[in-house]
Amino acid sequence: MSYSHQSMGSGSRSARGYEFGRTYVVRPKGKHQATIVWLHGLGDNGSSSSQLLESLPLPNIKWICPTAPSRPVSLLGGFPCTAWFDVGEISEDLRDDIEGLDASAAHIANLLSTEPTDVKVGIGGFSMGAAIALYSTTCYALGRYGNGLPYTINLRATVGLSGWLPGWRSLRSKIESSNEAARRAAWIPVILAHGTSDDVVPYRFGETSAHSLAMAGFRQVVFKPYEGLGHYTVPKEMNEVVHWLASRLGLEGSC
């Protein structure tokens, strides 16, 4: 396995001073055509992500797997663990931690900012990692973070597994207020997958996320339900992601 600790990912701090952990990289086995930042779930780390991704038959992708800061998490009663942003109970009334979302989205953008210009870049993740991947995608479409600062990464694909879409209530009005945002939203491909038996992030949040993106003008959204699947991934799901990425990114010699 070709992992390396990237100095660009460690030591940087979020808006509240929480330090991001180690970044793991799975280098492409073939011609480097794409780079994807993959984001782990609550309490996990970049190492476990890199081990999963290293086994995928996508030789032209470089995977960057950062580790979230350790911070107090409201969902856990303030107990600290690795988290991309603060989150309470997953519900329709969930309040978005915009400051935390922006800090992590900016960290991810920084990881992608040094990639070669001829390499396509994307974002993917699981659970909370999927939420920050989708949030980053809305920042790309809008051309700015939630705090108004410019978002400059040209994303080419987004993968969200067992997650949810932060800011879904106001997304449509924000996209519709800008012709450029509408153009970007219509252009970027997104695949979402969710298990119908997920007891951590209920299935309806996957459905709502896909519907909200589509209603906001994201025209290339694919939603894949997995009957009986809980809050985890399975080979069939990852195989679909592999084929989708190879097709959408035009990768050579994949699958």
Side-chain angles (χ1 to χ4, degrees):
M1 295 185 183
S2 181
Y3 304 148
S4 68
H5 178 202
Q6 296 288 301
S7 59
M8 64 179 179
S10 65
S12 63
R13 292 180 178 272
S14 73
R16 297 187 185 120
Y18 303 122
E19 187 169 331
F20 288 90
R22 175 176 289 193
T23 295
Y24 297 80
V25 173
V26 180
R27 301 194 181 282
K29 300 177 182 69
K31 179 183 177 182
H32 183 195
Q33 294 181 285
T35 296
I36 296 178
V37 172
W38 190 269
L39 305 156
H40 62 75
L42 181 66
D44 209 340
N45 58 64
S47 177
S48 59
S49 298
S50 66
Q51 293 176 52
L52 167 67
L53 299 167
E54 199 274 341
S55 66
L56 299 182
L58 289 167
N60 305 114
I61 291 182
K62 171 185 174 183
W63 300 94
I64 301 178
C65 306
T67 300
S70 182
R71 68 173 78 207
V73 177
S74 297
L75 179 64
L76 305 177
F79 185 82
C81 73
T82 52
W84 299 109
F85 50 91
D86 188 30
V87 65
E89 183 180 357
I90 308 296
S91 72
E92 280 77 4
D93 299 320
L94 179 66
R95 290 187 177 181
D96 294 316
D97 171 22
I98 298 300
E99 185 181 7
L101 285 161
D102 278 347
S104 288
H107 179 70
I108 295 157
N110 183 54
L111 294 175
L112 290 171
S113 65
T114 56
E115 290 302 294
T117 55
D118 62 339
V119 168
K120 300 168 185 175
V121 299
I123 303 179
F126 173 78
S127 190
M128 175 180 265
I132 190 65
L134 292 174
Y135 180 76
S136 295
T137 305
T138 63
C139 291
Y140 157 76
L142 294 167
R144 56 181 169 79
Y145 295 96
N147 59 19
L149 293 176
Y151 185 92
T152 59
I153 302 300
N154 184 25
L155 294 180
R156 300 293 295 271
T158 301
V159 179
L161 308 181
S162 305
W164 71 95
L165 173 65
W168 61 272
R169 293 179 188 85
S170 60
L171 180 61
R172 182 176 180 177
S173 62
K174 289 178 179 178
I175 296 291
E176 289 180 345
S177 67
S178 164
N179 289 335
E180 180 62 18
R183 184 192 67 79
R184 290 186 182 188
W187 179 84
I188 185 169
V190 179
I191 185 170
L192 303 179
H194 217 110
T196 61
S197 298
D198 193 325
D199 59 353
V200 177
V201 181
Y203 174 75
R204 69 180 184 275
F205 289 98
E207 278 191 317
T208 298
S209 298
H211 178 71
S212 299
L213 287 168
M215 291 299 293
F218 288 78
R219 297 178 184 173
Q220 299 193 60
V221 177
V222 174
F223 180 67
K224 296 280 188 179
Y226 285 85
E227 189 66 35
L229 181 66
H231 197 65
Y232 49 87
T233 62
V234 289
K236 179 182 178 182
E237 182 182 35
M238 296 311 297
N239 287 340
E240 292 223 40
V241 169
V242 165
H243 287 285
W244 185 85
L245 282 172
S247 172
R248 288 297 185 171
L249 296 176
L251 303 179
E252 302 169 7
S254 298
C255 309

